[in-house]
Amino acid sequence: MRTDCFCRWCHKSIRYEGSFREMFQIDDVLCDHCRNQMNIRQGTYKKDELRFEGMYVYEGMVRDMILQYKENYDEALFSVFLYPYARQLRRKYRKYTIVPVPSSVERIRERGFRHVDMMFSLLDLPIAGLIVKTDNIEQKYSYHREQIGSYFKLADKQIDSRTPVLLVDDIVTTGASMSACYALLRQKYDFIRCFSVSFSTKFVKKSLLFTN
Ligand SMILES: [Zn+2]
């Protein structure tokens, strides 16, 4: 049976029958051309006390895709970032509950979907909104960066403190949001790891601890 499907980004047909893809059982939602343009640098990075696993450098194609997904509300792109790695990540974090760095209620309402939750839904692990963001601020204004921690707080509903939690986000730019959320979770949880789909270029060289 011939199976055709379409690349979620360029909308060109991805053909499976008798192809290289079929032979090697490559299953993807992007065509090879688009996939190869995503700058993947899976590794563990650090910023002061924060350690996080990151996948992509936030530039070029990855930046375009994330902006299209979250700022132009192109919900169908939710799977393109983690699809080829979902099985590997599910195995690695199988005991963890995923905790997204939240957007504010206003942004979620505007967007109509929880963009980080949807990206990580592919891992098929429990997702818990243990943190809430109390105000809609943009990190691009530098004077807000020092204050960003004060915009997050623990949600009323929490889970067993022995549950390992995986704090996740779509982008680590300065690390301020993730650090603030990590500090909050530390008050309650014993085992916390951090993961970001992408990270700014400044992490690439000087902050890499090891490649995964
Ligand atoms: Zn494509």
Side-chain angles (χ1 to χ4, degrees):
M1 194 183 78
R2 184 179 134 165
T3 316
D4 272 5
C5 59
F6 298 90
C7 173
R8 293 268 169 104
W9 184 250
C10 71
H11 307 295
K12 287 192 182 129
S13 164
I14 304 174
R15 292 187 58 177
Y16 282 91
E17 192 199 19
S19 69
F20 178 83
R21 277 176 175 271
E22 193 185 48
M23 237 158 38
F24 293 95
Q25 296 184 316
I26 299 169
D27 175 27
D28 202 350
V29 290
L30 291 179
C31 69
D32 293 343
H33 177 74
C34 292
R35 179 63 64 198
N36 291 337
Q37 285 187 70
M38 296 176 81
N39 189 358
I40 183 149
R41 297 285 178 89
Q42 194 176 8
T44 299
Y45 297 83
K46 71 176 167 72
K47 163 87 193 306
D48 305 322
E49 296 307 303
L50 180 71
R51 302 274 184 279
F52 69 92
E53 180 176 349
M55 293 292 283
Y56 298 101
V57 184
Y58 184 67
E59 62 178 8
M61 179 75 110
V62 172
R63 184 172 175 277
D64 293 348
M65 284 175 169
I66 289 182
L67 290 176
Q68 176 67 14
Y69 172 55
K70 66 185 271 197
E71 305 306 339
N72 291 337
Y73 314 139
D74 195 345
E75 206 173 334
L77 290 174
F78 81 96
S79 61
V80 305
F81 307 97
L82 297 179
Y83 194 90
Y85 313 102
R87 210 179 302 168
Q88 169 206 336
L89 294 172
R90 179 163 52 238
R91 220 174 11 240
K92 183 170 180 179
Y93 295 111
R94 65 187 177 279
K95 298 198 168 93
Y96 284 75
T97 290
I98 290 174
V99 179
V101 170
S103 301
S104 67
V105 176
E106 293 87 345
R107 290 294 283 135
I108 295 167
R109 200 174 297 142
E110 225 174 303
R111 199 172 277 135
F113 61 101
R114 293 172 186 268
H115 73 290
V116 179
D117 299 44
M118 280 189 64
M119 283 170 150
F120 285 88
S121 65
L122 287 183
L123 272 56
D124 207 16
L125 295 171
I127 299 181
L130 303 181
I131 305 166
V132 288
K133 194 173 184 185
T134 54
D135 203 358
N136 187 13
I137 56 153
E138 293 295 336
Q139 250 185 300
K140 62 188 170 195
Y141 302 110
S142 59
Y143 60 88
H144 277 139
R145 282 185 189 150
E146 289 77 45
Q147 308 164 3
I148 197 155
S150 59
Y151 291 91
F152 293 104
K153 65 176 182 129
L154 286 174
D156 294 338
K157 198 171 166 218
Q158 296 293 317
I159 55 175
D160 189 320
S161 63
R162 290 163 300 181
T163 312
V165 293
L166 182 65
L167 178 64
V168 300
D169 207 353
D170 58 339
I171 313 165
V172 166
T173 310
T174 64
S177 295
M178 193 167 261
S179 295
C181 293
Y182 179 80
L184 284 172
L185 291 175
R186 286 292 295 165
Q187 297 171 14
K188 187 133 181 76
Y189 299 94
D190 301 329
F191 306 102
I192 308 164
R193 290 179 75 176
C194 302
F195 185 102
S196 185
V197 172
S198 71
F199 47 87
S200 68
T201 50
K202 69 179 180 181
F203 285 99
V204 178
K205 279 188 184 145
K206 67 173 198 215
S207 324
L208 178 66
L209 288 178
F210 45 86
T211 51
N212 294 59

